[in-house]
Amino acid sequence: MTDDDARIAALPARLAAVTARIANSCGTAGRNPSEVRLLVASKTMSPTVARAAVAAGAALLGENRVQELVAKGPELVGLGAEVHLIGHLQGNKVRDAVLWASCVESVDSAGLGERLEARCAATGRTLDVMVQVNVSGESSKSGVTPEQAPALAVRLAGLPHLRLRGFMTIGANVPDDDVVRAGYARLRAVRDELLSGGTPGTSGALELSMGMSGDLELAIAEGATIVRVGSAVFGERAVLATRGAADI
Ligand SMILES: *Cc1c(COP(=O)(O)O)cnc(C)c1O
């Protein structure tokens, strides 16, 4: 059996287990499971494995590298999946990103927002965006500070071809659940602060994309509307020689 075959064989049971974890956390938090969408992080998985995930019910996929997004995007979009970019986006790759992602969750500067706006204006389309916030302060992570986030959100909300959908964060990489959870509470507070400001264009900024395989329960307890799950759905990723912060 190839690596792909093994992942594909295990997919339905793993996906069901993740769905059950989401439902249980929603139960504990008194939330309706329909409020939480599962984004399946398909990075490093072959198009065949990603396709199997869609066949098994994954409706929303996330890629963290533009190069991979370009390679797999046509097939995934063709299958009817919604695809989000969840990794750092360089300004010179905006054109490729906009081709295959319906949402860029990782906007971390006004300059990147302007470039996305220009590209979308040129092609006559709109793009969903989220502000990536670094709630842990860990230097390996992209994103603006919680203090900077509302101002960036307001800037993005003023760009006519972008639709501000909310905020994204990668939780603290520490064993202490209370610290991780406090970071997720912080993201919720950022969103609520923005919404209470009532700035035009911000009322749709409801999404909180937070929580991964290891900590989705904590994120759902703090209001996550999207959890981004990779290894719990596909099994552990192969460790790349060049593995860095962007590989998470
Ligand atoms: C890979 C990745 C995830 C999923 O991580 P797992 O621990 O495998 O669930 C979530 N968010 C981002 C931004 C990622 O790059």
Side-chain angles (χ1 to χ4, degrees):
M1 212 153 72
T2 68
D3 203 38
D4 273 9
D5 290 340
R7 290 188 195 280
I8 290 169
L11 237 168
R14 283 188 177 136
L15 202 52
V18 169
T19 304
R21 281 175 64 190
I22 294 171
N24 286 337
S25 326
C26 286
T28 306
R31 303 182 58 198
N32 188 322
S34 68
E35 295 170 22
V36 181
R37 277 200 298 166
L38 170 63
L39 176 152
V40 171
S42 48
K43 63 179 183 213
T44 80
M45 296 302 146
S46 71
T48 311
V49 172
R51 191 188 323 125
V54 175
L60 173 57
L61 301 178
E63 288 289 337
N64 73 330
R65 291 170 185 271
V66 173
Q67 204 181 340
E68 250 189 280
L69 175 70
V70 169
K72 289 189 255 177
E75 178 160 20
L76 301 176
V77 169
L79 290 167
E82 182 181 342
V83 182
H84 289 189
L85 183 68
I86 59 175
H88 184 66
L89 176 58
Q90 289 174 322
N92 62 0
K93 301 216 170 107
V94 156
R95 176 188 293 252
D96 287 336
V98 167
L99 270 177
W100 300 113
S102 63
C103 178
V104 176
E105 295 196 7
S106 46
V107 180
D108 59 1
S109 72
L112 178 58
E114 299 281 357
R115 280 184 180 239
L116 290 166
E117 165 65 23
R119 186 66 206 152
C120 289
T123 52
R125 60 162 291 191
T126 53
L127 179 75
D128 288 349
V129 292
M130 298 186 203
V131 173
Q132 182 172 355
V133 184
N134 183 353
V135 294
S136 68
E138 289 167 13
S139 61
S140 61
K141 294 188 165 68
S142 306
V144 297
T145 66
E147 292 77 18
Q148 295 166 329
L152 176 55
V154 166
R155 286 283 298 273
L156 299 178
L159 298 174
H161 295 83
L162 304 188
R163 265 193 315 244
L164 181 69
R165 299 325 281 244
F167 298 87
M168 181 272 242
T169 196
I170 298 170
N173 187 15
V174 295
D176 185 344
D177 283 359
D178 292 342
V179 172
V180 177
R181 191 165 164 168
Y184 291 147
R186 190 77 202 271
L187 195 72
R188 177 162 46 83
V190 164
R191 180 199 61 185
D192 292 347
E193 179 190 331
L194 177 77
L195 292 175
S196 68
T199 305
T202 62
S203 63
L206 302 171
E207 304 277 10
L208 293 175
S209 176
M210 56 190 196
M212 315 199 298
S213 292
D215 65 3
L216 65 89
E217 285 82 1
L218 301 174
I220 288 172
E222 292 298 343
T225 64
I226 296 176
V227 290
R228 308 180 308 270
V229 181
S231 50
V233 171
F234 294 115
E236 291 302 320
R237 286 179 289 278
V239 178
L240 306 173
T242 56
R243 190 181 171 111
D247 296 310
I248 299 299

